[in-house]
Amino acid sequence: MKKDDLVIPGNFLAYEEEFMAGAHAFEDDEGNVYADSVGVKKLDSNNHEVSVEKFSRSVKLIEKGSIVYGRVSMVKTNAVLIEVISAEKDGENRTVHNRNASLAISNIADAYVDSIDTMYRAGDIIRARVLDVTSYNIELGSKEEEFGVVKAYGVKSRKPLVLIDNKLRDTVTGDSEERKISSLYTLR
């Protein structure tokens, strides 16, 4: 086995007379050095040490402060239920195990919200910030101007709405619709 070879747990690396076990390596009773991880074999001739540089793909979970994109699945009287599509924080993608999220009426906007129906509709794609993560729910907020609907669909036509003069317009029916529009709305 050469230096920089791919190894898996249990692969022979060296004899302890030549090299001592370093990081992610171990010696057995007979003086053989083996890998304990998947990675690349590294030989340090100066210190007479053999080690394994682990392959690692760190999984970062969704957490408070993450930015999520989601699809509105249901609009209730006091909350919007959302299916989380993707999440990121500090430019890194986050893994979402529980895709169920909710956006309470108090976390939608700084101003008074008379009716959630005027802010979000089923099928809308939204951008929001994670306020809290529990084992059964992800609590979202959309008070800042970059959060809210990033793609809306017409109530009658179900076609994407276009933002014209700060109003969402249905190009099929000509109707104007109201939403909590994100500053990052996609169709302008």
Side-chain angles (χ1 to χ4, degrees):
M1 184 174 280
K2 299 177 218 140
K3 178 184 174 187
D4 296 338
D5 275 351
L6 177 68
V7 295
I8 60 172
N11 276 138
F12 174 78
L13 299 176
Y15 294 105
E16 72 178 335
E17 292 89 22
E18 300 170 325
F19 295 99
M20 293 178 18
H24 308 293
F26 67 93
E27 296 173 10
D28 69 3
D29 295 338
E30 298 172 12
N32 299 316
V33 180
Y34 295 97
D36 75 357
S37 302
V38 175
V40 176
K41 175 181 175 180
K42 295 292 179 186
L43 297 174
D44 181 355
S45 298
N46 294 336
N47 295 324
H48 297 283
E49 187 177 81
V50 63
S51 60
V52 176
E53 186 178 306
K54 286 176 78 171
F55 286 148
S56 66
R57 179 178 174 253
S58 63
V59 176
K60 299 204 177 200
L61 299 177
I62 191 169
E63 62 182 331
K64 184 178 180 178
S66 297
I67 307 300
V68 300
Y69 285 90
R71 182 180 325 275
V72 175
S73 54
M74 186 183 296
V75 179
K76 295 186 159 207
T77 309
N78 294 324
V80 179
L81 302 180
I82 296 151
E83 177 190 356
V84 176
I85 298 168
S86 67
E88 65 93 15
K89 184 173 184 185
D90 302 326
E92 294 180 335
N93 288 336
R94 299 298 173 125
T95 301
V96 183
H97 290 292
N98 179 4
R99 298 208 174 272
N100 300 321
S102 64
L103 180 58
I105 193 168
S106 60
N107 294 325
I108 290 176
D110 282 328
Y112 175 74
V113 177
D114 185 40
S115 173
I116 291 183
D117 285 354
T118 61
M119 298 294 186
Y120 296 104
R121 295 280 188 164
D124 288 350
I125 307 298
I126 72 156
R127 182 174 193 260
R129 181 181 308 279
V130 174
L131 301 177
D132 191 26
V133 178
T134 64
S135 59
Y136 55 87
N137 189 33
I138 302 168
E139 184 65 36
L140 304 177
S142 67
K143 289 185 178 184
E144 293 94 344
E145 77 171 32
E146 69 266 19
F147 301 122
V149 177
V150 292
K151 188 172 184 182
Y153 295 90
V155 174
K156 293 179 184 172
S157 70
R158 298 308 301 155
K159 300 293 181 197
L161 300 177
V162 178
L163 186 63
I164 302 169
D165 297 328
N166 285 338
K167 292 191 179 206
L168 292 173
R169 301 214 190 258
D170 190 329
T171 56
V172 175
T173 64
D175 292 343
S176 205
E177 296 188 25
E178 191 177 332
R179 300 282 202 291
K180 176 9 176 134
I181 303 168
S182 166
S183 61
L184 302 173
Y185 192 82
T186 55
L187 300 173
R188 294 183 180 264

